[in-house]
């Protein structure tokens, strides 16, 4: 019931905060709604600064906690950010039932190319929450494999949901149950949100850690102690693959949504990137 209430709340907030359907970046499902947050009094014509690309979790939005708070905290440190809705989510084009993690990686890579083209941007970092954490980690790995010299300057993962692969293999995903061998055309997570067969099938085969570990730069992993959706072992496994480059911070009393100590987590993120990106 609590999860159902959460989804209804997300639907309500997203309908209020939907942005204009004018797109500058396109992914596999079409145009991606986005929002750029700049430091106060920043002049894009005469000044330069680093930027962080922020990626939300499954069924969520760029306008849902913790993304706005993180964008504001970064701006106070002189760092721009660009947050966006993945394809099929809310004000971006596409359908939720056609969502896959690979499609979201392609969305992230498209957003990376756009951010890199902005004349005022110096260095780029990536951040992802929940499924967005999986996407951010694999995107960083892809970028490192393609062009080590131009790879991500820093990476933050908040409750990275690598458990999604196990969930799809075991036939139990966010309240939905299905035969993991004979997959249905779609299943309804939380009884509401349709996830398609392609998502279930492709997530079963994901090489999450193998792709992610190609990234050799600094990583900060943040996980709420009271997270009931993504188990702590996900962050611990990420910490192992990144080795000495990673720092794992467990936030006492925090939940998966980062709704209890939002400002504290946002400040942790901002300080990490400020120390890295300058």
């Amino acid at each position: 019931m609590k999860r159902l209430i959460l989804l209804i709340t997300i639907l309500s907030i997203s309908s209020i905060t939907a942005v204009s359907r004018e797109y500058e970046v396109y992914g596999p499902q079409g145009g991606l709604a986005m929002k750029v947050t700049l430091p106060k009094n920043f002049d894009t014509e005469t000044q330069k600064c680093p930027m962080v690309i922020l990626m939300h979790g499954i069924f969520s939005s760029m306008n849902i906690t913790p993304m706005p708070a993180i964008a504001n905290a970064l701006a106070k440190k002189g760092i721009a950010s660009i947050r966006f809705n993945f394809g099929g989510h809310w004000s971006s084009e596409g359908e939720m039932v056609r969502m896959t993690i690979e499609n979201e990686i392609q969305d992230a890579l498209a957003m990376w190319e756009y951010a890199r083209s902005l004349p005022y941007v110096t260095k780029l970092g990536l951040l992802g929450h929940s499924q967005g954490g999986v996407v951010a980690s694999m995107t960083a790995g892809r970028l490192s494999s393609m062009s080590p010299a131009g790879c991500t300057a820093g990476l933050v993962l908040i409750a990275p949901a690598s458990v999604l692969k196990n969930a799809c293999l075991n036939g139990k995903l966010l309240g939905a149950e299905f035969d993991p061998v004979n997959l249905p055309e779609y299943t309804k997570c939380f009884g509401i949100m349709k996830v398609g067969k392609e998502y279930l099938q492709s997530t079963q085969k994901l090489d999450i850690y193998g792709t992610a570990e190609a990234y050799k730069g600094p990583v900060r992993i943040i996980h709420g102690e009271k997270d009931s959706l993504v188990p702590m072992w996900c962050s611990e496994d990420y910490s192992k693959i990144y080795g000495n480059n990673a720092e794992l911070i467990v936030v006492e009393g925090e939940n998966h949504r980062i709704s209890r100590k939002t400002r504290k987590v946002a400040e942790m993120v901002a300080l990490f990137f400020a120390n890295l990106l300058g």
Side-chain angles (χ1 to χ4, degrees):
M1 179 58 69
K2 288 182 179 178
R3 293 178 184 178
L4 178 59
I5 292 171
L6 170 59
L7 261 295
I8 293 171
T9 302
I10 290 174
L11 282 165
S12 300
I13 295 173
S14 295
S15 65
I16 292 170
T17 54
V19 298
S20 172
R21 287 179 176 268
E22 295 180 2
Y23 306 108
E24 296 183 68
V25 181
Y26 290 81
Q29 290 211 62
L32 302 175
M34 66 180 185
K35 180 176 178 58
V36 174
T37 302
L38 298 171
K40 188 175 181 179
N41 299 323
F42 184 83
D43 186 345
T44 58
E45 298 294 328
T46 62
Q47 295 177 284
K48 293 182 181 294
C49 70
M51 174 175 273
V52 179
I53 300 172
L54 309 179
M55 303 179 214
H56 64 75
I58 190 170
F59 310 138
S60 193
S61 158
M62 64 179 174
N63 296 313
I64 299 295
T65 301
M67 294 307 168
I70 291 172
N72 291 334
L74 288 168
K76 290 178 181 178
K77 294 289 186 182
I79 301 171
S81 65
I82 184 167
R83 62 189 197 266
F84 66 99
N85 289 339
F86 284 113
H89 286 74
W90 316 125
S91 48
S92 287
E93 293 184 323
E95 300 175 86
M96 192 77 71
V97 73
R98 292 178 56 210
M99 169 193 65
T100 66
I101 289 177
E102 177 57 36
N103 279 350
E104 293 196 349
I105 292 171
Q106 294 304 315
D107 289 343
L109 290 171
M111 198 59 64
W112 170 276
E113 290 299 330
Y114 172 78
R116 192 172 66 162
S117 73
L118 296 172
Y120 60 85
V121 172
T122 53
K123 300 176 183 178
L124 281 169
L126 297 178
L127 175 145
H129 174 226
S130 195
Q131 179 167 291
V134 173
V135 174
S137 72
M138 295 181 73
T139 300
R142 291 268 187 95
L143 289 166
S144 296
S145 297
M146 292 188 297
S147 178
C151 69
T152 309
L155 175 65
V156 171
L157 308 178
I158 303 176
S162 50
V163 68
L164 288 168
K165 178 175 180 176
N166 301 59
C168 290
L169 286 168
N170 294 330
K172 293 183 179 181
L173 175 69
L174 301 174
E177 295 192 15
F178 51 88
D179 183 342
V181 177
N182 300 302
L183 293 169
E185 288 306 308
Y186 68 86
T187 189
K188 287 186 178 181
C189 294
F190 303 121
I192 300 176
M193 311 303 289
K194 284 186 179 180
V195 173
K197 181 177 181 178
E198 187 179 357
Y199 176 92
L200 303 174
Q201 194 170 55
S202 61
T203 302
Q204 289 179 341
K205 301 174 183 178
L206 279 181
D207 183 11
I208 296 175
Y209 299 127
T211 302
E213 67 181 352
Y215 172 70
K216 304 300 182 184
V219 185
R220 173 164 286 184
I221 306 167
I222 301 171
H223 206 118
E225 177 203 17
K226 300 294 185 181
D227 192 329
S228 61
L229 283 181
V230 175
M232 189 66 66
W233 62 255
C234 294
S235 286
E236 291 170 346
D237 283 357
Y238 266 110
S239 183
K240 289 174 185 175
I241 69 161
Y242 290 127
N244 293 333
N245 292 328
E247 175 189 20
L248 171 57
I249 300 174
V250 178
V251 183
E252 184 178 353
E254 185 55 281
N255 56 29
H256 181 70
R257 291 184 290 145
I258 314 298
S259 63
R260 295 176 181 172
K261 299 183 178 180
T262 310
R263 182 178 296 179
K264 179 179 180 179
V265 171
E267 289 174 353
M268 287 179 185
V269 170
L271 185 60
F272 171 79
F273 281 117
N275 289 336
L276 274 181
L277 305 181

